[in-house]
Amino acid sequence: AAERVEDGQIVLFDSGSTTLQIAQSLPRSIRLTVVTPSPMIAIALADHPEVKVILAGGQLNPATLSTGGQDAVRLIQSIKADLLFTGVCALHPQVGISSLHFEEVAVKQAMLDSASHVVAVTLADKLGAVEPFVVAPCSRIHTLITEWHVPPGSVEAYECLGLEVMQVDA
């Protein structure tokens, strides 16, 4: 996933352990502007001399370690990003992206609206899963990156929806 990032881009990073790993995988020499509701991602990129980090403000959710609320949404809505790495709590072919946390929905929707290309990176256990709060349909995702070893039939439904699906060694 980190290989998709190019010098000079504006990149949105959603909160989550997977998106944090992507941020930590970026080369120190890369030039970017990063916008994120995740203090952990902001800290991970603080030592990258050519990365400008904009931390979306708002109330911190201790369960997700991300900020939320209207301040975060307004900031994200004011940006036109090249790329979004979205966090995925659950991804179902018919239901779409869903979350366990209601307060995350508006921020995730704003990020989806602000990005030219959306990459969802998730472990296989989140494929076919549904959480209570629907964020958006799968059609909002351009690229799905998941594990190489997934149960048979796990990725075909997403490919049929037009998503580029990449399976990689986790």
Side-chain angles (χ1 to χ4, degrees):
E3 292 172 3
R4 291 185 167 258
V5 179
E6 298 176 13
D7 263 343
Q9 287 185 318
I10 297 175
V11 182
L12 289 163
F13 277 88
D14 196 358
S15 61
S17 58
T18 306
T19 52
L20 176 59
Q21 287 182 342
I22 296 166
Q24 291 169 333
S25 298
L26 293 173
R28 282 185 39 83
S29 61
I30 197 158
R31 288 182 311 103
L32 296 176
T33 298
V34 169
V35 181
T36 183
S38 168
M40 299 298 291
I41 289 172
I43 291 167
L45 295 172
D47 68 346
H48 287 61
E50 299 295 323
V51 175
K52 265 194 292 190
V53 178
I54 300 170
L55 181 59
Q59 183 173 349
L60 183 67
N61 179 339
T64 62
L65 293 177
S66 65
T67 59
Q70 284 305 305
D71 289 336
V73 169
R74 272 193 296 275
L75 170 71
I76 292 164
Q77 287 173 334
S78 72
I79 293 164
K80 193 62 185 161
D82 299 297
L83 186 60
L84 162 63
F85 290 109
T86 188
V88 175
C89 293
L91 185 65
H92 189 278
Q94 283 76 45
V95 176
I97 306 165
S98 58
S99 176
L100 184 60
H101 305 279
F102 173 74
E103 58 278 359
E104 283 189 333
V105 172
V107 172
K108 287 181 179 291
Q109 288 171 338
M111 287 191 285
L112 288 166
D113 289 343
S114 294
S116 296
H117 191 87
V118 177
V119 178
V121 181
T122 186
L123 297 174
D125 63 346
K126 296 180 180 182
L127 297 177
V130 176
E131 293 293 353
F133 303 105
V134 176
V135 175
C138 286
S139 62
R140 300 300 302 278
I141 298 171
H142 299 101
T143 304
L144 171 62
I145 301 175
T146 191
E147 298 170 277
W148 182 255
H149 301 289
V150 296
S154 296
V155 298
E156 288 78 7
Y158 302 100
E159 291 172 328
C160 288
L161 292 170
L163 279 68
E164 172 193 19
V165 177
M166 298 178 63
Q167 292 178 257
V168 297
D169 286 325

